[in-house]
Amino acid sequence: MNFKKAINDILGLNKTILALSFARMADAMGNSILFILIPVYVAKIPTEHIDFSVSVLVGLLISIYGFVTSLCQPVMGGVSDALNKRKVLIIIGMLIVCAGTLGFIVAENFMHLLYLRILQGVGVAITIPASLSIITAVSKKESRGGAMGVYSTSRMIGFAIGPVVGGYLQVHYGFNSAFIAGAVLIFISVIMVLLWVKEVKVEEPVTKTKKSGLFDWSLYSPGILTAALATFTMANCFSMVTTLENQFNERLDITAFGFSVAFSMLMVGRLIFQVPLGHLSDKRGRRPFILIGLVLMAISTVLMGEVTEMYQMVILRLLQGVSAAGIAAPAFALAADLSSKGGEGKANEHYHHGLCSGDSRGAIDNRCAG
């Protein structure tokens, strides 16, 4: 009992946070299945005389998802705070993403896929601010970094597993089986939220700030905008490596498998250090971890262009993972700390844009297809 209490005190865990974390993992698995399927699916589906290469079309499908999510999140964060019904919004958003995944089964051309990706982006934009608002509302400030670390780690695990599941199903049972599996996983997350998460009503503060529609401009504070910029910078640094895969393979004389091993080290670093660094940020403050993380990310990114051996790339990607862990969870918690009562949805979505932008690159550890 004492051990359980100690874990709860350190990580700020409770039934709601655990439910949202497991639901997020299942949701991320379902969404990330598409990462491994989109390139090969676009190659076989009619493009209706669109004069672009397959790689460009794949990039468009992946990036439009992140763009729509980032564009819609400020509005959806405002809706979350205005309606004060976050559980309902989470369920609606995930059902939209589930429907978009199933839609791939009946898609007949590239434009259909594009519309489905836009639909999925809107669904995720509805889900994320509401989920983070609930976590903020049910967590304590002194353990919020640990809680955000658990939530983010669950998401990363889902993104790591999903592509493997999708690739296996596609090879052995065809595209439709993989799309159905993705939709089923997302629907499971809906059931988790429905059964285990209670609606959280956030009371409005006695003194309200001046608002303009759904946007509370007081939330665009230097602290929150800085946290958003930090996560955006982080995501761009570790995701740009994906576009240089062929150059790395040629220089290091490795195959795509060798590249994937080195590339995955970032995920390993984040999974190992995300929760501990989130907890330490509760004790030592958010800013030092974000600053050190950004410096390490900058150094490792610059050195990535100088690698001549695979082991060097492995070490640098691992360092990027540690750096990302030092930035992500503290930045999540910082934005929550700085948000006013009743404004958590809008505040949380600002810094989450950085993660979504990186995820839209389609990397496994990236993050926004989920």
Side-chain angles (χ1 to χ4, degrees):
M1 182 63 68
N2 291 335
F3 177 76
K4 179 179 179 181
K5 183 178 184 301
I7 293 296
N8 289 344
D9 290 341
I10 293 174
L11 300 181
L13 298 182
N14 54 47
K15 185 177 180 180
T16 298
I17 293 174
L18 286 174
L20 286 173
S21 296
F22 280 113
R24 187 66 173 128
M25 181 169 64
D27 175 47
M29 287 179 62
N31 278 295
S32 63
I33 280 177
L34 295 180
F35 287 169
I36 202 67
L37 298 183
I38 284 178
V40 287
Y41 201 58
V42 170
K44 67 178 285 293
I45 200 167
T47 58
E48 292 191 335
H49 308 293
I50 299 176
D51 191 21
F52 291 109
S53 66
V54 170
S55 59
V56 172
L57 296 178
V58 170
L60 179 60
L61 285 181
I62 293 175
S63 62
I64 194 66
Y65 173 91
F67 177 77
V68 170
T69 301
S70 297
L71 187 66
C72 293
Q73 273 197 111
V75 176
M76 295 308 171
V79 170
S80 170
D81 292 332
L83 295 180
N84 216 359
K85 293 183 178 180
R86 294 165 175 83
K87 177 179 177 179
V88 174
L89 290 175
I90 294 172
I91 293 173
I92 291 174
M94 288 193 295
L95 287 176
I96 291 175
V97 177
C98 182
T101 303
L102 281 177
F104 273 69
I105 295 176
V106 297
E108 297 179 349
N109 54 57
F110 175 81
M111 291 306 299
H112 290 168
L113 299 184
L114 190 65
Y115 297 145
L116 289 171
R117 290 296 282 171
I118 292 173
L119 180 67
Q120 289 180 318
V122 172
V124 171
I126 295 173
T127 301
I128 296 300
S131 298
L132 295 175
S133 292
I134 290 181
I135 292 179
T136 300
V138 302
S139 63
K140 299 178 181 179
K141 182 176 180 179
E142 58 269 18
S143 61
R144 188 171 291 141
M148 292 295 185
V150 171
Y151 178 79
S152 183
T153 298
S154 299
R155 173 170 165 270
M156 287 190 293
I157 292 174
F159 274 111
I161 297 174
V164 178
V165 174
Y168 177 84
L169 291 175
Q170 190 276 325
V171 169
H172 294 279
Y173 303 103
F175 284 105
N176 288 352
S177 65
F179 295 142
I180 292 173
V184 168
L185 286 167
I186 296 170
F187 189 73
I188 289 174
S189 69
V190 173
I191 301 300
M192 289 179 178
V193 173
L194 189 64
L195 295 179
W196 296 342
V197 176
K198 293 183 179 180
E199 184 63 83
V200 174
K201 299 289 185 179
V202 180
E203 296 181 2
E204 291 290 337
V206 176
T207 302
K208 296 183 179 180
T209 57
K210 186 177 181 180
K211 298 180 181 180
S212 175
L214 292 173
F215 292 93
D216 182 354
W217 297 106
S218 67
L219 293 176
Y220 288 82
S221 66
I224 291 176
L225 291 178
T226 300
L229 178 61
T231 55
F232 178 82
T233 302
M234 172 195 74
N236 277 276
C237 284
F238 65 63
S239 64
M240 68 173 64
V241 177
T242 311
T243 64
L244 301 174
E245 177 179 353
N246 291 330
Q247 288 80 358
F248 276 114
N249 290 348
E250 181 179 353
R251 178 193 291 185
L252 305 180
D253 192 24
I254 59 176
T255 64
F257 176 74
F259 179 86
S260 70
V261 171
F263 188 84
S264 67
M265 288 299 103
L266 183 139
M267 178 65 67
V268 173
R270 291 192 67 179
L271 287 174
I272 294 174
F273 289 96
Q274 186 106 319
V275 173
L277 291 181
H279 170 57
L280 284 176
S281 76
D282 292 327
K283 306 298 183 183
R284 304 295 178 86
R286 321 295 186 195
R287 186 168 61 178
F289 290 91
I290 297 175
L291 288 174
I292 294 174
L294 286 172
V295 171
L296 290 178
M297 182 64 74
I299 294 173
S300 58
T301 301
V302 170
L303 292 178
M304 193 72 69
E306 303 298 327
V307 297
T308 56
E309 300 290 342
M310 180 177 170
Y311 78 88
Q312 296 172 347
M313 186 177 181
V314 168
I315 294 173
L316 289 174
R317 286 296 287 180
L318 184 62
L319 181 59
Q320 283 190 322
V322 177
S323 304
I327 297 169
F332 270 83
L334 175 62
D337 294 341
L338 296 176
S339 64
S340 60
K341 196 78 168 177
E344 293 87 347
K346 293 186 283 291
N348 277 300
E349 58 79 18
H350 293 323
Y351 69 81
H352 192 265
H353 282 177
L355 295 180
C356 290
S357 298
D359 297 350
S360 67
R361 305 290 302 190
I364 291 179
D365 62 330
N366 110 46
R367 334 151 268 351
C368 216

